[in-house]
mmCIF file of all heavy atoms in Angstrom:
data_model
loop_
_atom_site.group_PDB
_atom_site.id
_atom_site.type_symbol
_atom_site.label_atom_id
_atom_site.label_comp_id
_atom_site.label_asym_id
_atom_site.label_seq_id
_atom_site.Cartn_x
_atom_site.Cartn_y
_atom_site.Cartn_z
ATOM 1 N N GLY U 1 -23.240 173.790 3.725
ATOM 2 C CA GLY U 1 -23.375 173.774 2.281
ATOM 3 C C GLY U 1 -22.183 174.342 1.548
ATOM 4 O O GLY U 1 -22.195 174.448 0.330
ATOM 5 N N LYS U 2 -21.138 174.733 2.261
ATOM 6 C CA LYS U 2 -19.968 175.336 1.613
ATOM 7 C C LYS U 2 -18.948 174.308 1.158
ATOM 8 O O LYS U 2 -18.059 174.617 0.370
ATOM 9 C CB LYS U 2 -19.307 176.330 2.578
ATOM 10 C CG LYS U 2 -20.193 177.521 2.900
ATOM 11 C CD LYS U 2 -19.459 178.562 3.708
ATOM 12 C CE LYS U 2 -20.351 179.779 3.934
ATOM 13 N NZ LYS U 2 -19.667 180.848 4.648
ATOM 14 N N VAL U 3 -19.075 173.076 1.659
ATOM 15 C CA VAL U 3 -18.131 172.012 1.304
ATOM 16 C C VAL U 3 -18.924 170.793 0.855
ATOM 17 O O VAL U 3 -19.825 170.348 1.567
ATOM 18 C CB VAL U 3 -17.250 171.637 2.522
ATOM 19 C CG1 VAL U 3 -16.313 170.489 2.170
ATOM 20 C CG2 VAL U 3 -16.464 172.838 3.020
ATOM 21 N N PRO U 4 -18.630 170.232 -0.323
ATOM 22 C CA PRO U 4 -19.352 169.018 -0.748
ATOM 23 C C PRO U 4 -19.053 167.866 0.202
ATOM 24 O O PRO U 4 -17.933 167.730 0.711
ATOM 25 C CB PRO U 4 -18.808 168.746 -2.150
ATOM 26 C CG PRO U 4 -17.542 169.533 -2.257
ATOM 27 C CD PRO U 4 -17.660 170.693 -1.331
ATOM 28 N N ALA U 5 -20.061 167.050 0.452
ATOM 29 C CA ALA U 5 -19.907 165.933 1.392
ATOM 30 C C ALA U 5 -18.755 165.019 1.000
ATOM 31 O O ALA U 5 -18.055 164.474 1.854
ATOM 32 C CB ALA U 5 -21.210 165.144 1.473
ATOM 33 N N SER U 6 -18.534 164.874 -0.289
ATOM 34 C CA SER U 6 -17.474 163.970 -0.760
ATOM 35 C C SER U 6 -16.074 164.473 -0.388
ATOM 36 O O SER U 6 -15.108 163.713 -0.450
ATOM 37 C CB SER U 6 -17.569 163.796 -2.273
ATOM 38 O OG SER U 6 -17.447 165.056 -2.922
ATOM 39 N N SER U 7 -15.973 165.743 -0.012
ATOM 40 C CA SER U 7 -14.677 166.303 0.386
ATOM 41 C C SER U 7 -14.396 166.114 1.877
ATOM 42 O O SER U 7 -13.346 166.524 2.359
ATOM 43 C CB SER U 7 -14.624 167.797 0.061
ATOM 44 O OG SER U 7 -14.692 168.004 -1.327
ATOM 45 N N ILE U 8 -15.343 165.522 2.601
ATOM 46 C CA ILE U 8 -15.198 165.324 4.043
ATOM 47 C C ILE U 8 -14.871 163.866 4.330
ATOM 48 O O ILE U 8 -15.540 162.953 3.826
ATOM 49 C CB ILE U 8 -16.487 165.732 4.775
ATOM 50 C CG1 ILE U 8 -16.747 167.221 4.587
ATOM 51 C CG2 ILE U 8 -16.396 165.388 6.264
ATOM 52 C CD1 ILE U 8 -18.078 167.707 5.119
ATOM 53 N N LEU U 9 -13.838 163.668 5.127
ATOM 54 C CA LEU U 9 -13.427 162.324 5.539
ATOM 55 C C LEU U 9 -13.498 162.255 7.059
ATOM 56 O O LEU U 9 -12.798 162.990 7.755
ATOM 57 C CB LEU U 9 -11.997 162.025 5.057
ATOM 58 C CG LEU U 9 -11.387 160.697 5.493
ATOM 59 C CD1 LEU U 9 -12.215 159.515 4.984
ATOM 60 C CD2 LEU U 9 -9.946 160.585 5.007
ATOM 61 N N ALA U 10 -14.386 161.407 7.569
ATOM 62 C CA ALA U 10 -14.596 161.279 9.016
ATOM 63 C C ALA U 10 -14.001 159.981 9.523
ATOM 64 O O ALA U 10 -14.138 158.922 8.889
ATOM 65 C CB ALA U 10 -16.090 161.323 9.338
ATOM 66 N N SER U 11 -13.348 160.055 10.687
ATOM 67 C CA SER U 11 -12.746 158.882 11.300
ATOM 68 C C SER U 11 -13.331 158.671 12.691
ATOM 69 O O SER U 11 -13.512 159.626 13.454
ATOM 70 C CB SER U 11 -11.229 159.070 11.410
ATOM 71 O OG SER U 11 -10.649 158.007 12.138
ATOM 72 N N ALA U 12 -13.634 157.423 13.006
ATOM 73 C CA ALA U 12 -14.132 157.055 14.333
ATOM 74 C C ALA U 12 -13.803 155.584 14.576
ATOM 75 O O ALA U 12 -13.614 154.820 13.624
ATOM 76 C CB ALA U 12 -15.634 157.296 14.448
ATOM 77 N N PRO U 13 -13.746 155.171 15.851
ATOM 78 C CA PRO U 13 -13.379 153.779 16.153
ATOM 79 C C PRO U 13 -14.390 152.753 15.661
ATOM 80 O O PRO U 13 -14.016 151.659 15.257
ATOM 81 C CB PRO U 13 -13.286 153.763 17.682
ATOM 82 C CG PRO U 13 -13.132 155.185 18.090
ATOM 83 C CD PRO U 13 -13.871 155.982 17.066
ATOM 84 N N SER U 14 -15.684 153.095 15.713
ATOM 85 C CA SER U 14 -16.700 152.092 15.374
ATOM 86 C C SER U 14 -17.583 152.570 14.224
ATOM 87 O O SER U 14 -17.735 153.772 14.000
ATOM 88 C CB SER U 14 -17.584 151.797 16.592
ATOM 89 O OG SER U 14 -18.431 152.893 16.875
ATOM 90 N N ASP U 15 -18.183 151.608 13.522
ATOM 91 C CA ASP U 15 -19.103 151.943 12.431
ATOM 92 C C ASP U 15 -20.314 152.706 12.940
ATOM 93 O O ASP U 15 -20.862 153.546 12.223
ATOM 94 C CB ASP U 15 -19.569 150.664 11.725
ATOM 95 C CG ASP U 15 -18.489 150.079 10.825
ATOM 96 O OD1 ASP U 15 -17.678 150.866 10.307
ATOM 97 O OD2 ASP U 15 -18.444 148.842 10.664
ATOM 98 N N ARG U 16 -20.726 152.414 14.167
ATOM 99 C CA ARG U 16 -21.909 153.100 14.724
ATOM 100 C C ARG U 16 -21.721 154.615 14.722
ATOM 101 O O ARG U 16 -22.646 155.372 14.443
ATOM 102 C CB ARG U 16 -22.149 152.599 16.153
ATOM 103 C CG ARG U 16 -23.336 153.245 16.857
ATOM 104 C CD ARG U 16 -23.519 152.635 18.237
ATOM 105 N NE ARG U 16 -22.299 152.723 19.025
ATOM 106 C CZ ARG U 16 -21.950 153.811 19.729
ATOM 107 N NH1 ARG U 16 -22.725 154.879 19.712
ATOM 108 N NH2 ARG U 16 -20.833 153.810 20.437
ATOM 109 N N ASN U 17 -20.489 155.063 15.005
ATOM 110 C CA ASN U 17 -20.215 156.501 15.028
ATOM 111 C C ASN U 17 -20.160 157.109 13.623
ATOM 112 O O ASN U 17 -20.241 158.328 13.472
ATOM 113 C CB ASN U 17 -18.880 156.772 15.728
ATOM 114 C CG ASN U 17 -18.872 156.308 17.173
ATOM 115 O OD1 ASN U 17 -18.061 155.474 17.557
ATOM 116 N ND2 ASN U 17 -19.780 156.838 17.977
ATOM 117 N N LEU U 18 -20.019 156.264 12.625
ATOM 118 C CA LEU U 18 -19.817 156.770 11.266
ATOM 119 C C LEU U 18 -21.069 156.698 10.394
ATOM 120 O O LEU U 18 -21.086 157.245 9.292
ATOM 121 C CB LEU U 18 -18.692 155.978 10.587
ATOM 122 C CG LEU U 18 -17.299 156.166 11.205
ATOM 123 C CD1 LEU U 18 -16.310 155.188 10.569
ATOM 124 C CD2 LEU U 18 -16.813 157.599 11.050
ATOM 125 N N ASP U 19 -22.113 156.038 10.882
ATOM 126 C CA ASP U 19 -23.318 155.841 10.055
ATOM 127 C C ASP U 19 -23.907 157.155 9.565
ATOM 128 O O ASP U 19 -24.268 157.289 8.384
ATOM 129 C CB ASP U 19 -24.379 155.060 10.830
ATOM 130 C CG ASP U 19 -24.034 153.580 10.946
ATOM 131 O OD1 ASP U 19 -23.160 153.128 10.178
ATOM 132 O OD2 ASP U 19 -24.615 152.893 11.809
ATOM 133 N N THR U 20 -24.007 158.145 10.452
ATOM 134 C CA THR U 20 -24.611 159.430 10.068
ATOM 135 C C THR U 20 -23.792 160.116 8.982
ATOM 136 O O THR U 20 -24.343 160.733 8.064
ATOM 137 C CB THR U 20 -24.739 160.351 11.296
ATOM 138 O OG1 THR U 20 -25.545 159.690 12.275
ATOM 139 C CG2 THR U 20 -25.391 161.676 10.927
ATOM 140 N N TRP U 21 -22.460 160.007 9.095
ATOM 141 C CA TRP U 21 -21.582 160.624 8.098
ATOM 142 C C TRP U 21 -21.798 159.968 6.729
ATOM 143 O O TRP U 21 -21.868 160.659 5.705
ATOM 144 C CB TRP U 21 -20.122 160.488 8.528
ATOM 145 C CG TRP U 21 -19.801 161.241 9.778
ATOM 146 C CD1 TRP U 21 -19.799 160.758 11.050
ATOM 147 C CD2 TRP U 21 -19.460 162.630 9.864
ATOM 148 N NE1 TRP U 21 -19.460 161.769 11.933
ATOM 149 C CE2 TRP U 21 -19.249 162.914 11.235
ATOM 150 C CE3 TRP U 21 -19.292 163.636 8.925
ATOM 151 C CZ2 TRP U 21 -18.898 164.190 11.676
ATOM 152 C CZ3 TRP U 21 -18.942 164.908 9.366
ATOM 153 C CH2 TRP U 21 -18.748 165.172 10.721
ATOM 154 N N ARG U 22 -21.906 158.644 6.737
ATOM 155 C CA ARG U 22 -22.109 157.927 5.475
ATOM 156 C C ARG U 22 -23.449 158.293 4.843
ATOM 157 O O ARG U 22 -23.554 158.476 3.625
ATOM 158 C CB ARG U 22 -22.047 156.417 5.725
ATOM 159 C CG ARG U 22 -20.638 155.918 6.051
ATOM 160 C CD ARG U 22 -20.658 154.477 6.516
ATOM 161 N NE ARG U 22 -19.326 153.995 6.849
ATOM 162 C CZ ARG U 22 -19.078 153.022 7.707
ATOM 163 N NH1 ARG U 22 -20.085 152.412 8.321
ATOM 164 N NH2 ARG U 22 -17.838 152.645 7.959
ATOM 165 N N GLU U 23 -24.474 158.406 5.680
ATOM 166 C CA GLU U 23 -25.801 158.766 5.170
ATOM 167 C C GLU U 23 -25.803 160.151 4.541
ATOM 168 O O GLU U 23 -26.606 160.441 3.651
ATOM 169 C CB GLU U 23 -26.826 158.706 6.315
ATOM 170 C CG GLU U 23 -27.123 157.293 6.800
ATOM 171 C CD GLU U 23 -27.885 157.270 8.115
ATOM 172 O OE1 GLU U 23 -28.304 158.357 8.579
ATOM 173 O OE2 GLU U 23 -28.048 156.175 8.683
ATOM 174 N N SER U 24 -24.877 161.020 5.008
ATOM 175 C CA SER U 24 -24.780 162.373 4.457
ATOM 176 C C SER U 24 -23.902 162.431 3.210
ATOM 177 O O SER U 24 -23.740 163.494 2.614
ATOM 178 C CB SER U 24 -24.206 163.331 5.514
ATOM 179 O OG SER U 24 -25.045 163.380 6.642
ATOM 180 N N GLY U 25 -23.310 161.288 2.841
ATOM 181 C CA GLY U 25 -22.483 161.237 1.640
ATOM 182 C C GLY U 25 -21.010 161.477 1.875
ATOM 183 O O GLY U 25 -20.236 161.619 0.911
ATOM 184 N N CYS U 26 -20.604 161.512 3.139
ATOM 185 C CA CYS U 26 -19.189 161.712 3.460
ATOM 186 C C CYS U 26 -18.427 160.394 3.370
ATOM 187 O O CYS U 26 -19.000 159.315 3.507
ATOM 188 C CB CYS U 26 -19.034 162.289 4.872
ATOM 189 S SG CYS U 26 -19.890 163.849 5.133
ATOM 190 N N ARG U 27 -17.136 160.508 3.159
ATOM 191 C CA ARG U 27 -16.275 159.329 3.196
ATOM 192 C C ARG U 27 -15.900 159.042 4.651
ATOM 193 O O ARG U 27 -15.850 159.960 5.472
ATOM 194 C CB ARG U 27 -15.013 159.569 2.365
ATOM 195 C CG ARG U 27 -15.310 159.700 0.875
ATOM 196 C CD ARG U 27 -14.070 160.078 0.076
ATOM 197 N NE ARG U 27 -13.578 161.392 0.449
ATOM 198 C CZ ARG U 27 -12.307 161.665 0.772
ATOM 199 N NH1 ARG U 27 -11.405 160.685 0.792
ATOM 200 N NH2 ARG U 27 -11.939 162.884 1.059
ATOM 201 N N THR U 28 -15.638 157.794 4.965
ATOM 202 C CA THR U 28 -15.331 157.432 6.355
ATOM 203 C C THR U 28 -14.140 156.485 6.408
ATOM 204 O O THR U 28 -13.796 155.825 5.416
ATOM 205 C CB THR U 28 -16.534 156.763 7.044
ATOM 206 O OG1 THR U 28 -16.856 155.536 6.360
ATOM 207 C CG2 THR U 28 -17.750 157.682 7.058
ATOM 208 N N THR U 29 -13.541 156.416 7.583
ATOM 209 C CA THR U 29 -12.398 155.542 7.813
ATOM 210 C C THR U 29 -12.308 155.250 9.309
ATOM 211 O O THR U 29 -12.922 155.948 10.115
ATOM 212 C CB THR U 29 -11.092 156.199 7.327
ATOM 213 O OG1 THR U 29 -9.991 155.322 7.592
ATOM 214 C CG2 THR U 29 -10.834 157.516 8.052
ATOM 215 N N HIS U 30 -11.558 154.246 9.653
ATOM 216 C CA HIS U 30 -11.249 153.979 11.053
ATOM 217 C C HIS U 30 -9.817 154.401 11.385
ATOM 218 O O HIS U 30 -9.353 154.182 12.501
ATOM 219 C CB HIS U 30 -11.420 152.485 11.366
ATOM 220 C CG HIS U 30 -12.825 152.000 11.224
ATOM 221 N ND1 HIS U 30 -13.878 152.532 11.938
ATOM 222 C CD2 HIS U 30 -13.364 151.035 10.428
ATOM 223 C CE1 HIS U 30 -14.996 151.909 11.598
ATOM 224 N NE2 HIS U 30 -14.714 151.001 10.684
ATOM 225 N N CYS U 31 -9.156 155.023 10.419
ATOM 226 C CA CYS U 31 -7.747 155.386 10.585
ATOM 227 C C CYS U 31 -7.588 156.893 10.674
ATOM 228 O O CYS U 31 -7.790 157.614 9.678
ATOM 229 C CB CYS U 31 -6.930 154.836 9.416
ATOM 230 S SG CYS U 31 -5.182 155.280 9.487
ATOM 231 N N ASN U 32 -7.230 157.383 11.844
ATOM 232 C CA ASN U 32 -7.044 158.827 12.016
ATOM 233 C C ASN U 32 -5.938 159.375 11.121
ATOM 234 O O ASN U 32 -6.030 160.506 10.617
ATOM 235 C CB ASN U 32 -6.713 159.143 13.476
ATOM 236 C CG ASN U 32 -7.893 158.914 14.399
ATOM 237 O OD1 ASN U 32 -9.044 158.984 13.977
ATOM 238 N ND2 ASN U 32 -7.616 158.629 15.663
ATOM 239 N N LEU U 33 -4.885 158.597 10.926
ATOM 240 C CA LEU U 33 -3.768 159.062 10.101
ATOM 241 C C LEU U 33 -4.189 159.275 8.649
ATOM 242 O O LEU U 33 -3.659 160.154 7.966
ATOM 243 C CB LEU U 33 -2.610 158.057 10.174
ATOM 244 C CG LEU U 33 -1.883 157.986 11.524
ATOM 245 C CD1 LEU U 33 -0.829 156.881 11.503
ATOM 246 C CD2 LEU U 33 -1.242 159.321 11.867
ATOM 247 N N GLU U 34 -5.164 158.501 8.196
ATOM 248 C CA GLU U 34 -5.665 158.682 6.827
ATOM 249 C C GLU U 34 -6.279 160.062 6.648
ATOM 250 O O GLU U 34 -6.139 160.692 5.594
ATOM 251 C CB GLU U 34 -6.688 157.586 6.493
ATOM 252 C CG GLU U 34 -7.160 157.622 5.048
ATOM 253 C CD GLU U 34 -8.183 156.536 4.750
ATOM 254 O OE1 GLU U 34 -8.315 155.590 5.556
ATOM 255 O OE2 GLU U 34 -8.864 156.637 3.709
ATOM 256 N N VAL U 35 -6.960 160.543 7.687
ATOM 257 C CA VAL U 35 -7.550 161.883 7.634
ATOM 258 C C VAL U 35 -6.451 162.928 7.454
ATOM 259 O O VAL U 35 -6.570 163.853 6.645
ATOM 260 C CB VAL U 35 -8.369 162.177 8.914
ATOM 261 C CG1 VAL U 35 -8.883 163.606 8.897
ATOM 262 C CG2 VAL U 35 -9.525 161.201 9.051
ATOM 263 N N LEU U 36 -5.365 162.782 8.195
ATOM 264 C CA LEU U 36 -4.256 163.734 8.090
ATOM 265 C C LEU U 36 -3.618 163.698 6.711
ATOM 266 O O LEU U 36 -3.220 164.731 6.164
ATOM 267 C CB LEU U 36 -3.201 163.420 9.151
ATOM 268 C CG LEU U 36 -3.349 164.060 10.547
ATOM 269 C CD1 LEU U 36 -3.157 165.571 10.477
ATOM 270 C CD2 LEU U 36 -4.674 163.728 11.204
#
C-alpha cells in the first residue's frame, strides 16, 4: 500500500504472466528496457 499501482511497471514475456499485474491496476509491458 506504499506505492500506487499506477506507479508499477511489470515486464514479462507472455500476457499470461502479466494478467495478475493488470488486474491490480499496474502497467505492463513485454519490454524489459522500458522498465529501466
Side-chain angles (χ1 to χ4, degrees):
K2 295 187 176 183
V3 177
S6 59
S7 295
I8 296 173
L9 176 60
S11 173
S14 71
D15 285 330
R16 179 178 55 84
N17 299 121
L18 294 172
D19 285 344
T20 301
W21 295 94
R22 289 170 181 154
E23 290 167 7
S24 299
C26 302
R27 293 174 296 130
T28 62
T29 179
H30 296 302
C31 178
N32 291 334
L33 290 176
E34 185 181 345
V35 176
L36 272 293

